[in-house]
């Protein structure tokens, strides 16, 4: 029997529409769904390899207790019993959860967060403090609301897009830029007069599609942005927006703070040619409105939160946000658009969230503890049980050796993962869960810029003894005397019923989404609603004091020498290779200038060192890299770039600095 099933690939934020062919219950093929309203048939090598990965030999098929195969009942009983004992001894904060990218968009983490809350544990960790924290903090300081972010649609709005620290044609996009089918959509943008600039120390796949590419010295974007703002406040700003939606005192403070960022200073610090800078400024003035599309590597830089704020400030003063012809904001549901004005603004200097007891020097962030402090909490004896849900802390957090030693000290390490990975091998309780092709997902992430929400059905039932994530958490919860399914019985409820039930609580238009299936339904949006009902007093907080001070302090800082560059690659998604082909770590990218200076040729074994440590790997001399750039992709256990990342986070974002840090380079062997 042959049937076809439409579903969404939810590996990255593109959420491409797919059509699966299932023959006698076996997934044999997937192709892009040409009728899909967002992706229009587009897929990438990772999505096309779903069937191979689905049946690949890296799947986790059976529950394991201390490495031995057991029944689910035995595993869940043991885990719950031990957790109960730890809570009795050390209180609910003995149990922590790390929920991460593996199931970031399917809504699968909600039952786990619910369980922690019901247990009374404040031990929540996630890549929020390894990824998006600078963007959230900047939004919070400027709008009072951390989750309020503009979204770019190439088909409408400004005709100039400046990308910094993002490579959406490889990554599939990030907050505010989640874009499937980018190649075609960029061509459409250019056809309607759109101009794309890419600011990236690497000549990326996005740079190749752009009208202009400039390669700054890594970690210096704040200089470029501060100079643009300085010049635009002189000529090129939107007088109406500035007069009506900004505080005049803020505008004056901002002008004064950016005044020292002159063309000479900025050209020297960024290594960019003065002519290129002047042409970029002229382009903004010519187009009037501009999308400053930042990605992870904008906020990953030293002073990344300042960079995020400057990007927002440029869009505010050019009248590019939430106005006709500007960028829109997506709403979480209709209630957010039609309801009363927002009343929960953070104080002007940002909200403060309690930090972990073992690190009195650090705060938390929006109800979570910084991910870098998880080892502190384990070493201090506070955390004794950890539930890892779709994450790989060994490769995503600085100082992996310390992380590994801390994880090994835990009494209970529950790892819920569809694959047999380093974490499931370390787990006391390894719990195999369903993957993309085996579950129903309610994909609803408007606040991350995904402009349609989807109900993606399971293509085939879970293989092996894998279970749905909600089932695993609900069974654990039940044994701990809790209910995370709102009255539904995990023993008798089916996947589709549970997912729809949980979805209704997340969006008031969930039924429309269900009706659309993998084609979904558009999320509510509009123009002017942010000014009208979200901004505190209808005004942007254009010049947050804490950020002005940081910008001023950054002016004299040293930025010479070689610098680490972070960045993703097509075949892998963080620690997992999903596309077909080699599973080996990619080489360390060295610029031609650095190769010459250090007498390195491709294939040499090199060591890259920072103040925090060293990482070794094979070098590849890469003509696409700017002179100061040393490019290392993250996610690899051996060639782990997190060995050279400082585990002391930025005190405002609680996130480490992942790109633009000073490094030295040496050849270990030819
Ligand atoms: N194929 C693939 N797709 C992915 C992922 C993956 O691992 N692989 N991961 C997913 C995840 S978790 C996320 S958060 C998103 C992230 O999505 P993006 O933010 O788009 O991430 P990247 O593709 O790494 O793009 C960052 C770019 O910033 C550049 N860069 C580095 N340092 C600097 C700097 O100092 N200044 C400037 N201007 N640029 C700099 C890098 O060269 C890189 O090209 O991608 C998601 N999609
Ligand atoms: N040095 C450096 N460090 C970084 C970054 C960087 O650029 N440089 N990037 C940062 C960013 S943006 C992020 S998001 C983090 C990523 O950090 P993490 O999210 O911790 O790492 P991943 O490798 O994405 O972990 C994904 C895990 O989920 C599993 N998984 C896959 N599918 C599913 C599923 O359907 N369900 C479940 N339960 N599990 C699943 C995978 O097998 C894998 O074990 O790393 C951060 N760390
Ligand atoms: S991984 Fe590839 S196919 Fe899957 S959603 Fe992202 S871009 Fe689309
Ligand atoms: Mo991420």
């Amino acid at each position: 029997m042959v049937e076809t099933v439409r579903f969404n690939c939810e590996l990255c934020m593109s959420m491409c529409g797919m059509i699966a062919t299932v023959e006698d219950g076996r997934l044999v093929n997937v192709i892009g769904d040409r009728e899909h309203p967002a992706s229009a048939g587009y897929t990438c090598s990772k999505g096309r390899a779903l069937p191979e990965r689905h049946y690949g030999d890296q799947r986790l098929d059976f529950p394991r207790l201390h490495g031995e195969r057991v029944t689910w009942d035995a595993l869940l009983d043991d885990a719950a019993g031990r957790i109960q004992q730890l809570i009795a001894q050390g209180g609910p904060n003995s149990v922590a959860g790390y929920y991460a990218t593996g199931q970031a968009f399917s809504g699968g983490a909600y039952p786990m967060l619910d369980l922690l809350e019901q247990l009374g544990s404040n031990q929540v960790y996630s890549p929020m403090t390894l990824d998006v924290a600078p963007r959230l903090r900047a939004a919070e300081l400027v709008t009072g609301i951390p989750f309020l972010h503009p979204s770019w649609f190439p088909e409408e709005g400004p005709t100039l897009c400046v990308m910094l620290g993002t490579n959406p044609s490889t990554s599939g996009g990030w907050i505010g830029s989640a874009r499937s089918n980018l190649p075609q959509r960029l061509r459409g943008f250019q056809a309607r007069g759109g101009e794309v600039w890419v600011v990236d120390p690497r000549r990326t796949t996005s740079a190749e599609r752009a009208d202009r590419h400039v390669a700054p010295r890594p970690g210096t974007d704040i200089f470029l942005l501060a100079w643009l703002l300085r010049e635009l406040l002189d000529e090129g700003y939107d007088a109406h927006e500035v007069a009506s939606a900004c505080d005049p005192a803020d505008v004056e403070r901002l002008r004064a703070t950016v005044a020292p960022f002159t063309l000479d200073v900025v050209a020297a610090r960024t290594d960019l040619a003065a002519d290129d800078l002047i042409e970029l400024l002229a382009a903004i003035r010519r187009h009037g409105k501009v999308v400053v599309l930042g990605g992870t590597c904008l906020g990953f830089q030293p002073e990344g939160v300042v960079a995020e704020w400057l990007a927002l400030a440029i869009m505010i003063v050019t009248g590019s946000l939430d106005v006709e012809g500007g960028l829109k904001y997506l709403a979480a549901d209709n209630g957010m658009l039609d309801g009363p004005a927002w009343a929960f603004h953070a104080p002007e200097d940002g909200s403060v969230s309690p930090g972990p007891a073992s690190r009195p020097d650090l705060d938390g962030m929006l109800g979570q503890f910084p991910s870098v402090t998880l080892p502190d909490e384990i070493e201090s004896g506070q955390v004794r049980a950890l539930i890892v849900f779709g994450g790989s802390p060994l490769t995503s957090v600085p100082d992996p050796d310390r992380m590994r030693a801390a994880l090994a000290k835990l009494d209970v390490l529950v790892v819920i993962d569809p694959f047999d990975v380093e974490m499931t091998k370390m787990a006391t309780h390894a719990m195999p869960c369903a993957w993309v092709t085996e579950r129903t997902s309610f994909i609803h992430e408007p606040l991350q810029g995904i402009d349609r929400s989807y109900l993606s059905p399971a293509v085939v039932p879970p293989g092996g003894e894998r279970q749905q994530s909600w089932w695993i958490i609900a069974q654990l919860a039940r044994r701990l005397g809790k209910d995370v399914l709102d009255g539904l019985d995990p023993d008798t409820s089916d996947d589709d019923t549970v997912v729809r039930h949980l979805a209704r609580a997340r969006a008031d238009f969930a039924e429309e989404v269900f009706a659309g299936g993998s084609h979904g339904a558009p999320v509510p949006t509009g123009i002017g609603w942010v000014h009208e009902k979200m901004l505190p007093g209808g005004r942007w907080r254009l010049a947050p004091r804490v950020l002005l001070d940081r910008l001023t302090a950054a002016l004299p800082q040293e930025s010479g020498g070689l610098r680490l560059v972070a960045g993703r690659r097509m075949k892998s998604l963080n620690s997992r290779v999903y596309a077909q082909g080699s599973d080996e770590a990619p080489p360390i990218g060295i610029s031609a200038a650095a190769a010459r200076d250090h007498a390195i040729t491709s294939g040499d074994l090199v060591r890259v060192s920072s103040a925090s440590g060293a990482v070794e790997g094979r070098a590849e001399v890469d003509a696409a890299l700017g002179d100061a750039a040393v490019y290392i992709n993250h996610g690899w256990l051996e060639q782990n770039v997190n060995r050279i990342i400082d585990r002391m986070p930025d005190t405002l974002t609680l996130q480490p600095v992942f790109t633009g840090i000073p490094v030295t380079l040496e050849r270990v062997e030819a």
Side-chain angles (χ1 to χ4, degrees), residues 101 127 130-131 174 296 300 568 574:
T101 317
L130 301 168
D131 179 348
W174 189 66
T296 44
F300 279 1
R568 279 130 239 283
N574 302 327

Side-chain angles (χ1 to χ4, degrees), residues 481-625:
K482 308 293 178 197
D483 165 25
V484 293
L485 296 185
D486 217 3
L488 293 181
D489 181 351
D491 283 333
T492 55
S493 303
D494 65 86
D495 187 36
D496 185 73
T497 305
V498 172
V499 170
R500 285 176 193 244
H501 182 80
L502 296 177
R504 287 186 189 100
R506 292 180 59 206
D508 57 14
F509 63 108
E511 298 300 334
E512 287 163 52
V513 180
F514 302 162
S518 74
H519 287 191
V523 303
T525 182
I527 285 176
W529 68 282
V530 169
H531 282 84
E532 233 165 77
K533 60 173 48 168
M534 303 304 279
L535 296 181
R539 282 177 167 180
W540 309 98
R541 293 171 175 168
L542 184 62
R545 218 177 31 193
V546 52
L547 299 176
L548 294 176
D549 292 347
R550 280 191 172 216
L551 181 59
T552 300
L555 187 60
Q557 281 166 24
E558 172 56 37
S559 66
L562 292 176
R563 297 245 153 178
L564 174 70
V565 170
R568 279 130 239 283
R569 35 167 242 149
M570 190 44 122
K571 287 183 158 190
S572 57
L573 212 136
N574 302 327
S575 67
R576 297 277 312 142
V577 179
Y578 288 115
Q580 280 184 288
S582 161
D583 279 7
E584 275 185 26
I588 291 176
I590 313 279
S591 71
R596 200 171 52 235
D597 292 350
H598 295 79
I600 289 169
T601 49
S602 289
D604 289 353
L605 183 65
V606 295
R607 181 180 302 130
V608 180
S609 308
S610 74
S612 308
V615 59
E616 292 186 2
R618 294 286 158 194
E620 182 179 70
V621 182
D622 186 349
L625 290 176

